[in-house]
Amino acid sequence: MRLNTSVALCLLAAVSNAIPTPQEEISPADLPTEASPVETEANDQLAQLAEFAAQTTNETLAQNEKRGGCSLWNVSVRREWSALSKKERKAYTDAVLCLQSKPARTPSSLIPGAKSRFDDFVGTHINQTNNIHYTGTFLTWHRYFTWSYEQALRNECGYTGVQPYWDWALSSLVGLENTSMLDGSDYSMSGNGENVEKVGDIQLGGSPGLPALILPTGTGGGCVTSGPFKNMKVNLGPAGLALPGGTTVANGDGLGYNPRCLKRDLTDVIIRKYSNATAIANTILKPKDVYDFQMTMQGVPGSGNIGIHGGGHYAMGGDPGRDVNTSPAEPLFYLHHAMIDRVWWIWQLLDKSERTGAEGISGTGTFLNNPPSANTTLDTVIDLGYAAGPPMTVRDLMSTTDGPFCYTYL
Ligand SMILES: *[C@@H]1O[C@H](CO)[C@@H](O)[C@H](O)[C@H]1NC(C)=O
Ligand SMILES: *[C@@H]1O[C@H](CO)[C@@H](O)[C@H](O)[C@H]1NC(C)=O
Ligand SMILES: *[C@@H]1O[C@H](CO)[C@@H](O)[C@H](O)[C@H]1NC(C)=O
Ligand SMILES: *[C@@H]1O[C@H](CO)[C@@H](O)[C@H](O)[C@H]1NC(C)=O
Ligand SMILES: *[C@@H]1O[C@H](CO)[C@@H](O)[C@H](O)[C@H]1NC(C)=O
Ligand SMILES: *[C@@H]1O[C@H](CO)[C@@H](O)[C@H](O)[C@H]1NC(C)=O
Ligand SMILES: [Cu+2]
C-alpha cells in the first residue's frame, strides 16, 4: 500500500521533530581572528572554533556516506572527561587496568622492562623518542599512537566507549584537582601524588647553548594514593626524568625492568601559564603554516615557552609525567594527546585542503633535524613497533575521517 501524502507528511514532521534543531551555521567570517586575553572569552572562542571544525567534518561525513565510508551514523565522537557519565569514566579506567594486566607482545630480549600490553606502547615511545618530537612526524605519529591505544582498549579489553580528552583550559580555570578527571575519586583518572618535600625547581636543559627553563614544582610529588591507578606500577624508565633541584635521571636506556609507583606533582601554575584558553586559542589562530603551528605547540626552544604540549606534560609532574621518553606510562598521557590531536584537528579544518595535504607537513625524521635527516613527506612510514600495526604512511594519518580513521571531537 502506498502511503498517502498526508500520512507521509505527518511522518516527516515527526522525524524532523526528533532531530535536534540544527545549530546556527558558522561561516568562516564569523570566526575570531585573534585570541582574547580574557580566559573566559578565549574559552568561548575555542568553543566556536571547535564547532566550526565539527561542522566542516560533518559536511565531509555526509559526502563520505554516499561513497560508503565513515559517516555521521558510525563516526565516533571523542568528548572531554567531564562530559562522560560516571559509568563511562569507570569503563575507561577499567579498560586501561585491563591493558596493564595483559601480557606484553614486545620480546623481553628487546625491551626487558615491557611486562604488559600497556607497556608495549611505552616501550615503542621510548624507542622512538628522538624521531617523533620536533620532527615532521610529531602530529601524525601521536595521532596514530593515541588511536591505536584506543583500539587496543576496545578490541582487547572490551571497552565500548571512545578515547576521552583533557581540556587544559578547564583545568586552568578551575584548578587541576577540582576537575572530575583529577579529583581522586573512583570515577577519576586518580588524583595528585602525596605531598612530599621538594627542594628546588625543575630545570629543562633544552638544546645545547639555550638557557635552561625553570619550572616550579607542584602540590604533590609522591605516589598516587587515590582512585583507579593507586596500585599501578610504572615498569619502564626513567630515561630522561627531570627532578626538583635541576637534575635529570635515567636508568640506562630506560628499557630495563624498574617497577615503582606512579608519581604526580600537579602544578596549577604550569597549566595556567602555558595551557590556558588564551594560549590554546593563540596556538590555533596565529600560526599560518604547520612549521609555526607545531613549533608553537611544542614550544620554540630558547623562547622560554614550553607551549600547550609542554604545559600539559609538566603540569602532571612526577614520574613519568616529567620524562619525555617514558611519559606514556602515565595514563593521563592519552587524554593529553587526544587534546593535542583535537587542537590540530581544529587548526587543520580552518583550511582543510591545505592543512591535510602535503602543505600540512614540515620537518624531518630527527629531533630539530639533529642529526640531519630526510624531510618528512606524505609517503613517510610510521611504524608503532610491537604496540600496534600496520605501519602507515603519513598520508593516511592526516585526516580523522578521510583515511582509515573515523572519529571527530565535540
Ligand atoms: C556532527 O556529527 C556528530 C555525529 O553524528 C554529532 O554528534 C555532532 O553533534 C555533529 N556536530 C555538528 C556541529 O553538526
Ligand atoms: C562506517 O560505515 C561505512 C559504511 O558502512 C564503512 O565503510 C566504514 O568502515 C565504517 N566505519 C567504521 C569506523 O565503522
Ligand atoms: C578548587 O575549588 C575550591 C572550591 O571552589 C576553591 O576554593 C579552590 O581555590 C579551587 N582550587 C583552585 C586551584 O583553583
Ligand atoms: C596564558 O597563556 C599565555 C601564553 O602562554 C601567557 O602569556 C599568559 O600569561 C597566560 N595567562 C595567565 C593568566 O597566566
Ligand atoms: C626539505 O625541506 C626544507 C624546508 O621546507 C627545504 O628547504 C628543502 O629543500 C627540503 N629538502 C629536500 C631534499 O626536499
Ligand atoms: C626500535 O626502533 C627501531 C627503528 O627505529 C626498530 O628497528 C626496532 O625494531 C625498534 N625496537 C622495538 C623493540 O620496537
Ligand atoms: Cu611523545
Side-chain angles (χ1 to χ4, degrees):
M1 198 191 97
R2 278 181 59 216
L3 283 178
N4 74 46
T5 319
S6 64
V7 171
L9 279 177
C10 209
L11 276 174
L12 226 132
V15 167
S16 50
N17 271 339
I19 294 172
T21 338
Q23 283 180 307
E24 200 73 30
E25 177 99 355
I26 303 172
S27 90
D30 303 332
L31 293 173
T33 51
E34 215 178 303
S36 167
V38 182
E39 255 186 285
T40 49
E41 286 175 12
N43 208 35
D44 292 342
Q45 295 181 319
L46 287 172
Q48 203 185 15
L49 289 161
E51 181 74 19
F52 179 76
Q55 183 185 293
T56 310
T57 301
N58 285 8
E59 283 160 15
T60 310
L61 290 171
Q63 289 160 16
N64 283 357
E65 196 177 339
K66 296 185 201 118
R67 300 196 299 262
C70 171
S71 76
L72 284 170
W73 304 106
N74 65 2
V75 68
S76 46
V77 184
R78 293 184 177 174
R79 288 175 296 155
E80 218 280 327
W81 181 265
S82 59
L84 307 187
S85 67
K86 283 186 171 176
K87 208 175 145 193
E88 289 170 324
R89 292 174 195 164
K90 182 80 169 28
Y92 181 77
T93 55
D94 279 352
V96 174
L97 291 170
C98 158
L99 211 60
Q100 293 178 346
S101 73
K102 299 254 179 200
R105 290 184 186 162
T106 312
S108 58
S109 57
L110 297 180
I111 304 187
K115 298 296 180 190
S116 68
R117 277 294 287 139
F118 181 84
D119 289 345
D120 288 335
F121 287 83
V122 186
T124 287
H125 188 272
I126 295 176
N127 187 36
Q128 297 186 37
T129 296
N130 292 325
N131 306 106
I132 57 173
H133 302 107
Y134 290 103
T135 58
T137 53
F138 171 71
L139 293 163
T140 40
W141 195 95
H142 288 82
R143 170 173 283 174
Y144 188 29
F145 189 67
T146 303
W147 181 85
S148 299
Y149 180 81
E150 176 189 39
Q151 300 311 301
L153 296 175
R154 292 175 59 89
N155 301 334
E156 299 171 44
C157 284
Y159 180 55
T160 56
V162 299
Q163 176 61 46
Y165 66 87
W166 166 21
D167 181 5
W168 318 297
L170 175 66
S171 296
S172 175
L173 284 167
V174 305
L176 291 158
E177 287 181 78
N178 281 343
T179 64
S180 56
M181 187 181 82
L182 288 166
D183 65 10
S185 79
D186 290 346
Y187 304 99
S188 70
M189 288 291 293
S190 281
N192 205 355
E194 266 190 308
N195 191 359
V196 298
E197 198 194 342
K198 294 160 289 282
V199 181
D201 293 321
I202 301 295
Q203 292 184 28
L204 304 184
S207 312
L210 296 175
L213 203 143
I214 310 293
L215 297 174
T217 54
T219 48
C223 298
V224 163
T225 56
S226 60
F229 302 112
K230 64 177 177 223
N231 297 318
M232 180 190 152
K233 286 280 171 285
V234 176
N235 294 329
L236 289 154
L241 179 65
L243 292 177
T247 53
T248 299
V249 297
N251 176 36
D253 57 10
L255 301 176
Y257 183 44
N258 182 25
R260 58 202 189 281
C261 71
L262 171 67
K263 291 182 179 174
R264 278 187 192 150
D265 190 19
L266 299 182
T267 313
D268 280 316
V269 183
I270 295 182
I271 206 78
R272 291 223 169 98
K273 182 161 179 193
Y274 299 107
S275 309
N276 63 60
T278 302
I280 304 169
N282 264 324
T283 305
I284 293 170
L285 294 174
K286 275 190 182 160
K288 298 302 173 203
D289 62 48
V290 70
Y291 172 82
D292 252 0
F293 175 72
Q294 66 196 19
M295 283 306 257
T296 305
M297 167 177 265
Q298 293 170 97
V300 177
S303 68
N305 194 331
I306 56 177
I308 52 178
H309 171 250
H313 276 297
Y314 290 101
M316 302 173 202
D319 173 17
R322 288 193 195 105
D323 185 333
V324 179
N325 310 57
T326 320
S327 50
E330 160 62 90
L332 283 176
F333 176 96
Y334 301 92
L335 282 82
H336 177 49
H337 269 279
M339 182 64 180
I340 292 287
D341 188 60
R342 177 172 178 262
V343 169
W344 181 31
W345 168 78
I346 295 174
W347 184 81
Q348 283 188 302
L349 287 159
L350 287 174
D351 188 352
K352 190 182 172 207
S353 61
E354 184 104 341
R355 296 177 181 180
T356 59
E359 293 291 319
I361 309 168
S362 162
T364 71
T366 42
F367 195 103
L368 295 171
N369 196 31
N370 184 20
S373 59
N375 285 345
T376 302
T377 69
L378 288 172
D379 295 316
T380 299
V381 172
I382 289 184
D383 187 339
L384 300 181
Y386 293 93
M392 294 267 216
T393 60
V394 163
R395 177 182 289 102
D396 284 334
L397 309 173
M398 293 297 287
S399 161
T400 68
T401 50
D402 293 346
F405 300 145
C406 185
Y407 68 87
T408 182
Y409 287 96
L410 260 188

